[in-house]
Amino acid sequence: CLASQLGYIVEQKVLLGALWQAVRRLPGIRIINGCQINGIDHYSNDIKVTLSNGGRLSAKLLVAAEGAQSPVRKLMGIETHTK
């Protein structure tokens, strides 16, 4: 059952390709380039993100798709272990 899994590892290029295809079809999406995520506050119903330009965003879902050394994953305190 898919619902019993905590998460999945998907190659970055595959995930980004799928996300870009979806973004092109959906209205009302704003793309912000040239910013880093400096802080993440996780609440029961949403996530608030602080950007390096001082901006703040709120969302129901935050996708960490920056690769093996994910800054978002580190800010969330999600550890990884390598063999």
Side-chain angles (χ1 to χ4, degrees):
C1 174
L2 293 178
S4 66
Q5 301 299 316
L6 174 60
Y8 297 91
I9 296 175
V10 179
E11 286 185 47
Q12 184 179 18
K13 67 181 180 180
V14 173
L15 181 58
L16 289 177
L19 288 172
W20 278 114
Q21 284 181 0
V23 164
R24 288 188 195 112
R25 291 189 302 261
L26 298 172
I29 293 181
R30 179 176 53 157
I31 298 172
I32 302 171
N33 290 315
C35 289
Q36 302 282 326
I37 295 178
N38 285 352
I40 300 171
D41 296 309
H42 186 248
Y43 301 98
S44 60
N45 293 325
D46 68 346
I47 296 172
K48 302 215 184 291
V49 174
T50 304
L51 302 176
S52 59
N53 68 359
R56 288 192 44 87
L57 303 172
S58 178
K60 300 282 182 196
L61 175 68
L62 176 62
V63 177
E66 330 86 322
Q69 301 301 318
S70 169
V72 169
R73 188 180 62 240
K74 288 178 184 174
L75 285 170
M76 293 291 295
I78 301 170
E79 295 182 15
T80 59
H81 302 280
T82 57
K83 293 182 179 183

